[in-house]
Amino acid sequence: MTDIESRIDTTRPHTARIWNYWTGGKDNYPVDREAGDRIRALHPGIGEYAKADRLFLGRAVRHLAGQEGVRQFLDIGTGLPSADNTHEVVQRVAPDARVVYVDNDPLVLAHARALLVGTPEGRTDYLDADLRDIDTILAAASKTLDLSQPVALMLLGVVIFIEDDEESYAIVRRLLDALAPGSHLVLSHTVTHPDMPDVDEAVAFWNEHGTPKLTQRTPAAVARYFDGLELLEPGVVSCSAWRPETPTADVAMYAGVGRK
């Protein structure tokens, strides 16, 4: 058994694997599917959040690579590979783009090394690190990315794992402070919203049975991550409402894109 395999716990449901299950992937275990089904019973629309977040990633990345000319992407909290990963979307627009993925989940790393292969013109790299390991992330990422040039910092569904509000804001700010002017923050976050009370129940179930635990924040609290940045239209909204090709229902996953 490899070191990575020894770190994979198949006895408890895991967020990345449930997310993979909800989006139609096969990199999950019975314990994940059971938990995913129980959460979906509490909140039938929750599987759509995963899909909406993935579609938001594609729209945001295409915009940054196309209209904004960004050629470097730092994707922290990568999640399990699926259709249209960041490097695939980016390098269809700009084959010479560079992407660095960061995750500390052993199953994600095992699959990333096999599946996340970029174009010959560009470059793709992977780091085994926790979001809190800022110095490690920046030092390793700088071997692939030129941090003196604009970088798109991707934080999709990852700061939800930082329970303390001030710590989570400080982490995002430290990462942004290390990036050049013209860099962008792309962030999504599960929210608590009075119009969606069943989401709170589903998250409470998850935090009792799954790992790692999630922290919900209000839409206003999510918007605070973009303080000091120039928010791109339409601002911080349901990720399904961020420049959609066709209108869809709001989900309790809010997102935005801001320019430094």
Side-chain angles (χ1 to χ4, degrees), residues 124-145:
T124 307
D125 203 359
Y126 332 100
L127 309 178
D128 179 4
D130 185 274
L131 174 61
R132 295 177 176 88
D133 298 334
I134 298 172
D135 292 338
T136 299
I137 290 172
L138 292 173
S142 66
K143 297 176 182 177
T144 300
L145 308 178

Side-chain angles (χ1 to χ4, degrees), residues 12-250:
R12 293 192 67 189
H14 192 282
T15 303
R17 302 194 306 250
I18 290 179
W19 211 249
N20 176 264
Y21 171 52
W22 283 337
T23 55
K26 302 188 186 321
D27 299 315
N28 47 74
Y29 297 95
V31 67
D32 306 306
R33 296 190 285 276
E34 179 183 355
D37 289 341
R38 291 183 67 181
I39 293 170
R40 193 151 44 190
L42 292 170
H43 182 52
I46 202 162
E48 297 305 312
Y49 294 10
K51 297 175 184 177
D53 192 48
R54 198 72 184 178
L55 291 171
F56 162 71
L57 179 153
R59 295 194 301 273
V61 166
R62 281 193 296 273
H63 173 79
L64 293 179
Q67 279 66 50
E68 304 291 340
V70 178
R71 294 294 180 266
Q72 303 188 110
F73 291 76
L74 178 57
D75 188 338
I76 304 178
T78 304
L80 284 161
S82 64
D84 282 345
N85 301 290
T86 298
H87 75 281
E88 294 171 322
V89 178
V90 171
Q91 292 175 351
R92 280 199 292 267
V93 178
D96 62 337
R98 296 186 169 205
V99 179
V100 173
Y101 291 104
V102 182
D103 209 296
N104 68 344
D105 181 86
L107 187 61
V108 172
L109 291 167
H111 284 276
R113 289 171 183 168
L115 299 178
L116 300 179
V117 179
T119 61
E121 303 95 326
R123 188 170 170 187
T124 307
D125 203 359
Y126 332 100
L127 309 178
D128 179 4
D130 185 274
L131 174 61
R132 295 177 176 88
D133 298 334
I134 298 172
D135 292 338
T136 299
I137 290 172
L138 292 173
S142 66
K143 297 176 182 177
T144 300
L145 308 178
D146 179 357
L147 300 187
S148 70
Q149 298 299 313
V151 173
L153 172 63
M154 313 283 295
L155 296 173
L156 273 66
V158 64
V159 291
I160 61 176
F161 301 122
I162 307 297
E163 182 177 5
D164 183 82
D165 288 345
E166 296 310 315
E167 182 185 6
S168 73
Y169 293 128
I171 287 171
V172 175
R173 181 54 50 195
R174 279 191 61 197
L175 287 165
L176 285 170
D177 284 348
L179 303 181
S183 294
H184 290 74
L185 170 65
V186 183
L187 181 145
S188 67
H189 197 299
T190 303
V191 298
T192 180
H193 197 291
D195 294 339
M196 303 173 181
D198 47 350
V199 176
D200 298 349
E201 187 178 1
V203 170
F205 172 86
W206 171 257
N207 284 342
E208 183 179 352
H209 299 279
T211 184
K213 297 188 184 304
L214 314 180
T215 298
Q216 292 169 279
R217 294 183 170 94
T218 65
V222 176
R224 186 179 160 192
Y225 289 107
F226 296 90
D227 283 357
L229 303 179
E230 177 190 350
L231 263 178
L232 275 59
E233 292 294 337
V236 179
V237 295
S238 167
C239 62
S240 59
W242 198 91
R243 306 189 181 190
E245 285 82 8
T246 56
T248 55
D250 283 357

